[in-house]
Amino acid sequence: MLLAALWILGILLALILLLLFLRVGVHITFGEALKVDACVGPVRIAVVPKKKKPEKEAKPKKEKKKKTPPAEEKPKEKRKTGLTFADIRTAVPALFEAVKGALRKTRQRMRIDPMRLSLTFGSDDPAKTSEMYGWAGTAVWTLMPQMEQLMKIPDPSIHLDVDFQAVSTKAEGEVGISFQIRDFFAIAFAAAKPVLKWFLAFKKAKRLREAEQKTEQTKQTTEV
């Protein structure tokens, strides 16, 4: 009985070790279309786009009459108070320091291959476009040498450009990331505290922006 229990325990431990050392990852292609594949060992599973299921004949539904709002009532315009460029700019250094400390524990077991990125910055404000382009260039050339020391990146390719005629930023490329499952836990535990600290600061800043927006709306209503 004891021998059988030891055998079972040994098999379970062996399975856990095999699982922790199993290499998993994700392969992402984006641009005109988004394609995401999950990789488990040598097996690749398509996540996006999902395979289309045969459509069932849908029964005709009765159209419900929509209630039209009174002509005098107009929906109030709300300004966006979500994640801003300033938030992203402050997040990158903080989060990178957290991830950098976590990646040291993986001893270059994490691999990024391929790494092909192309970004063309554009917006309705030329000054903002220039700011984003300059900041992105500084971030890339500052962070990439450190990333190559912490991870295996055989052939990185990053192209940055600016288009003052475009009203939005365009991105395309292909990225494949793979790591052992044990590395995921090491990174998660090491990065959890600093990432949570940044997230709480972001939520606080967002609440302040929302409060300022409400105050401004109240002033405008009072003036009218």
Side-chain angles (χ1 to χ4, degrees):
M1 188 73 178
L2 179 61
L3 184 61
L6 290 174
W7 268 103
I8 294 171
L9 181 61
I11 292 170
L12 288 174
L13 289 173
L15 289 173
I16 291 171
L17 285 174
L18 285 172
L19 183 63
L20 290 175
F21 282 83
L22 180 65
R23 183 164 283 273
V24 296
V26 63
H27 187 278
I28 305 172
T29 304
F30 56 94
E32 294 183 0
L34 176 65
K35 184 181 178 183
V36 181
D37 293 335
C39 306
V40 182
V43 180
R44 182 176 287 192
I45 304 166
V47 179
V48 177
K50 294 182 179 180
K51 291 183 179 179
K52 293 182 178 180
K53 296 181 180 179
E55 296 181 0
K56 296 180 180 179
E57 292 183 3
K59 294 180 180 180
K61 295 181 180 179
K62 293 181 180 180
E63 293 184 1
K64 295 181 179 179
K65 293 182 179 179
K66 296 181 179 179
K67 294 181 179 180
T68 54
E72 295 179 358
E73 293 182 4
K74 293 182 180 180
K76 295 180 180 179
E77 294 183 359
K78 293 184 179 180
R79 294 182 182 178
K80 294 181 179 179
T81 56
L83 190 65
T84 64
F85 176 68
D87 294 324
I88 297 172
R89 189 170 54 187
T90 56
V92 169
L95 299 183
F96 184 74
E97 286 300 319
V99 173
K100 187 167 68 172
L103 287 174
R104 287 196 184 99
K105 298 185 178 182
T106 66
R107 300 180 183 276
Q108 282 199 331
R109 288 189 297 268
M110 181 170 282
R111 182 182 180 91
I112 300 182
D113 185 31
M115 184 180 190
R116 183 180 60 82
L117 300 173
S118 177
L119 291 172
T120 302
F121 293 92
S123 70
D124 53 2
D125 184 353
K128 184 180 178 182
T129 303
S130 299
E131 182 186 5
M132 290 190 296
Y133 175 71
W135 178 84
T138 303
V140 168
W141 309 129
T142 302
L143 301 180
M144 275 303 298
Q146 299 181 56
M147 289 179 64
E148 290 180 287
Q149 291 178 359
L150 298 168
M151 296 179 285
K152 289 182 180 178
I153 311 176
D155 188 22
S157 174
I158 301 176
H159 175 72
L160 301 178
D161 201 354
V162 62
D163 184 358
F164 292 107
Q165 304 300 321
V167 295
S168 61
T169 298
K170 294 181 181 178
E172 64 176 3
E174 184 181 10
V175 178
I177 304 173
S178 64
F179 51 90
Q180 294 178 358
I181 290 179
R182 58 175 174 155
D183 297 329
F184 171 78
F185 291 106
I187 293 171
F189 287 130
K193 185 177 179 180
V195 169
L196 180 61
K197 184 179 179 180
W198 171 83
F199 180 73
L200 292 175
F202 161 70
K203 294 293 287 184
K204 183 179 179 181
K206 184 180 177 183
R207 285 195 297 269
L208 289 173
R209 286 198 297 267
E210 290 173 348
E212 289 175 0
Q213 179 183 323
K214 288 180 180 178
T215 304
E216 187 177 342
Q217 289 177 349
T218 304
K219 287 181 179 179
Q220 290 176 354
T221 306
T222 306
E223 289 175 359
V224 172

